[in-house]
Amino acid sequence: MTRAEKPDDVVLVYTTAASLVEAETIAEDLVERRLIACANILPGMRSIYRWKGQVERGDEVVMILKTVRARLHEAQARFREAHSYDTPAFLVVDVPVGDEAYLAWLRAETA
């Protein structure tokens, strides 16, 4: 069975937001909708990146979203609706192993 066929597989999403307020607003909405079980929000990050041909710098907030594969597409769609960036990061990382009790909680919270 491939990963795409395992809808209860746990995944992490690495993303950023423009501010702590935006990150908290997005995270709370996603948790309330049960699209994610949890969000870790880490303020105080500096990003350096190329955008529209120019090297840019900006202060951002890191977000790590925890969900299951079955909720991923809906979570991403809602995330994009709520996010202020034209092209927000949304990078998915598989979680092949973890504490079974924690994984069970995460799966239950996104059911």
Side-chain angles (χ1 to χ4, degrees), residues 30-103:
L30 294 175
V31 169
E32 284 180 0
R33 294 170 185 268
R34 300 182 87 83
L35 298 176
I36 66 171
C38 175
N40 298 125
I41 298 172
L42 309 161
M45 180 186 73
R46 172 66 63 131
S47 291
I48 300 172
Y49 55 95
R50 183 175 301 277
W51 183 250
K52 297 183 179 180
Q54 300 293 319
V55 175
E56 303 283 344
R57 293 172 187 255
D59 293 328
E60 293 186 296
V61 176
V62 173
M63 299 172 67
I64 301 169
L65 311 177
K66 301 169 188 176
T67 190
V68 293
R69 191 166 303 283
R71 305 297 273 163
L72 195 55
H73 294 294
E74 191 178 352
Q76 183 177 16
R78 183 67 190 150
F79 171 82
R80 287 190 64 91
E81 288 175 14
H83 206 286
S84 64
Y85 293 173
D86 292 338
T87 309
F90 197 90
L91 304 174
V92 179
V93 179
D94 290 318
V95 178
V97 178
D99 179 79
E100 286 304 319
Y102 184 81
L103 296 177

